[in-house]
């Protein structure tokens, strides 16, 4: 039985690959896509999600827009990595995939209520929509199988010494989700920086030879160029699809169960994930924290999915 999933995303180059992996792998069923302000403002991330599905020829998956702003803060889009429209690089086509008139919380609620199986939520951006959903619809908690989130880090950050972007944009939302008691996997920078877009990776995706791979290569070239400038990393980390890879095949990462606190107040550390890897605090674990990635298997999953698309 395929695992039913909803992706809550802020596309974003790596979010696009998360969408394609879910759309192209038969082990998961992509029930819906919701969007959040993050890498770009909501109008961009929503259009980009629709473009990602349009390019790949994915039809019948509803796309609904959620929050433009974090719960309590102002959004700073990641233009230095993703460009002004959050999807720099290729010429973007007009999306033919429509925008669902429902909001993100409403769409998630409807999909959870309609699914015979509990649904896996896969957020690949700030957790604003997921936190809002949990606040508004506590009655539907039992319909969530688990949450697999890209965000945080067991070590250093990418928007400051400690915070990772998705956690830093909306730490109050992350705090709410980490305190929710729901089964939660954290895919942080410590593991996503193992998914490096090497020249060999780009060439192997190019060799697939379909429209999706051609568009994907343009995305990856821009993404690597931006990472080179911003972080001196010409082989950029393709963070977000690791979440979907876990839903497909848990063996793609190893995890450690531990307690994670979200720093919402720190003078130098706001948005940091304080991961108690060695159980120094003796607190109840609240997350499976991904540690290692089976890199060849991960890229194999990405390539196989892209090859099934348009
Ligand atoms: C995360 O932030 C965004 O730039 C990426 O899409 C990813 O979700 C990495 O810190
Ligand atoms: Ca993202």
């Amino acid at each position: 039985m395929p695992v039913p999933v909803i992706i809550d995303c802020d596309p974003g180059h790596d979010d696009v690959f998360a969408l394609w992996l879910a759309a192209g792998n038969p082990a998961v069923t992509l029930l819906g896509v919701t969007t959040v302000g993050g890498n770009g403002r909501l109008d961009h991330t929503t259009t980009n999600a629709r473009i990602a599905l349009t390019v790949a020829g994915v039809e019948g998956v509803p796309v609904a827009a959620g929050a433009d702003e974090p719960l309590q803060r102002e959004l700073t889009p990641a233009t230095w990595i993703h460009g002004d429209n959050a999807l720099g690089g290729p010429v973007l086509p007009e999306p033919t995939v429509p925008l669902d008139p429902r909001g993100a919380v409403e769409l998630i609620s409807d999909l959870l209520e309609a699914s015979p199986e509990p649904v896996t939520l896969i957020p690949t951006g700030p957790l604003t929509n997921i936190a809002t959903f949990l606040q508004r619809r506590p009655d539907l908690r039992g319909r969530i199988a688990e949450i697999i989130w890209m965000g945080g880090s067991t070590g250093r950050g990418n928007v400051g010494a400690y915070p990772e972007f998705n956690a830093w944009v909306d730490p109050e939302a992350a705090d709410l989700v980490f305190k929710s008691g729901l089964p939660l996997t954290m895919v942080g920078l410590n593991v996503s920086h193992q998914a490096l877009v090497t020249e060999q990776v780009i060439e192997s995706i190019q060799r697939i030879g379909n429209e999706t791979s051609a568009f994907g290569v343009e995305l990856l070239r821009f993404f690597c160029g931006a990472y080179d400038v911003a972080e001196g990393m010409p082989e950029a980390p393709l963070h977000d699809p690791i979440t979907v890879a876990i839903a497909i095949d848990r063996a793609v990462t190893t995890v450690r169960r531990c307690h994670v606190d979200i720093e919402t107040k720190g003078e130098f550390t706001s948005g940091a994930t304080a991961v108690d890897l060695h159980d120094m605090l003796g607190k109840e674990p609240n997350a499976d924290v991904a540690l290692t990635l089976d890199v060849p298997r991960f890229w194999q999953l990405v390539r196989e999915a892209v090859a099934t698309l348009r």
Side-chain angles (χ1 to χ4, degrees):
M1 276 287 281
V3 177
V5 305
I6 298 171
I7 297 187
D8 181 66
C9 57
D10 62 338
H13 299 67
D14 51 332
D15 302 79
V16 168
F17 279 85
L19 292 170
W20 289 348
L21 181 52
N25 189 295
V28 293
T29 303
L30 182 58
L31 298 182
V33 175
T34 53
T35 57
V36 66
N39 287 328
R41 300 225 66 101
L42 184 69
D43 55 345
H44 282 307
T45 60
T46 305
T47 304
N48 294 348
R50 294 167 57 212
I51 288 170
L53 299 182
T54 301
V55 167
V58 179
E59 289 173 0
V61 176
V63 179
D68 187 25
E69 292 283 348
L71 295 182
Q72 297 177 26
R73 305 183 182 218
E74 275 185 22
L75 177 65
T76 306
T79 49
W80 63 96
I81 293 291
H82 298 277
D84 290 337
N85 62 1
L87 211 53
V91 175
L92 300 181
E94 269 305 307
T96 54
V97 168
L99 176 64
D100 195 283
R102 290 168 286 186
V105 169
E106 203 186 343
L107 178 61
I108 294 172
S109 306
D110 288 352
L111 293 172
L112 261 56
E113 278 174 329
S115 173
E117 302 289 326
V119 174
T120 295
L121 301 184
I122 303 185
T124 60
L127 286 166
T128 320
N129 290 340
I130 304 299
T132 305
F133 168 76
L134 293 176
Q135 281 175 320
R136 288 208 201 138
R137 294 302 305 266
D139 56 308
L140 291 177
R141 277 175 60 96
R143 305 304 306 151
I144 300 172
E146 60 172 321
I147 299 173
I148 308 176
W149 175 56
M150 191 284 135
S153 173
T154 62
R156 296 290 172 142
N158 61 1
V159 278
Y162 289 100
E164 177 280 332
F165 179 77
N166 289 339
W168 171 79
V169 167
D170 200 341
E172 285 74 23
D175 187 44
L176 206 141
V177 172
F178 275 77
K179 286 179 176 156
S180 70
L182 289 163
L184 175 63
T185 299
M186 178 182 120
V187 176
L189 297 177
N190 55 290
V191 68
S192 70
H193 277 222
Q194 295 166 45
L196 297 177
V197 181
T198 62
E199 191 55 35
Q200 289 89 328
V201 164
I202 295 185
E203 284 168 12
S204 71
I205 291 174
Q206 192 153 29
R207 277 197 296 275
I208 295 168
N210 61 15
E211 282 179 42
T212 308
S213 71
F215 190 85
V217 166
E218 289 190 74
L219 289 179
L220 293 176
R221 293 229 178 270
F222 180 95
F223 194 51
C224 288
Y227 255 94
D228 192 15
V229 172
E231 297 193 27
M233 285 183 77
E235 297 179 346
L238 202 69
H239 316 273
D240 290 341
I242 299 172
T243 53
V244 180
I246 292 172
I248 293 166
D249 178 4
R250 225 152 257 284
V252 78
T253 60
T254 58
V255 299
R256 188 177 299 175
R257 198 139 178 78
C258 27
H259 186 84
V260 180
D261 285 309
I262 308 294
E263 181 59 89
T264 56
K265 298 192 182 63
E267 184 182 355
F268 305 111
T269 55
S270 177
T273 39
V275 181
D276 188 10
L277 266 184
H278 305 296
D279 194 22
M280 307 304 274
L281 304 173
K283 290 181 174 176
E284 190 65 32
N286 59 352
D288 286 335
V289 176
L291 295 181
T292 64
L293 179 70
D294 182 339
V295 176
R297 173 80 174 130
F298 169 71
W299 288 117
Q300 181 196 17
L301 287 171
V302 171
R303 275 191 301 269
E304 283 174 359
V306 169
T308 69
L309 300 169
R310 171 147 69 193

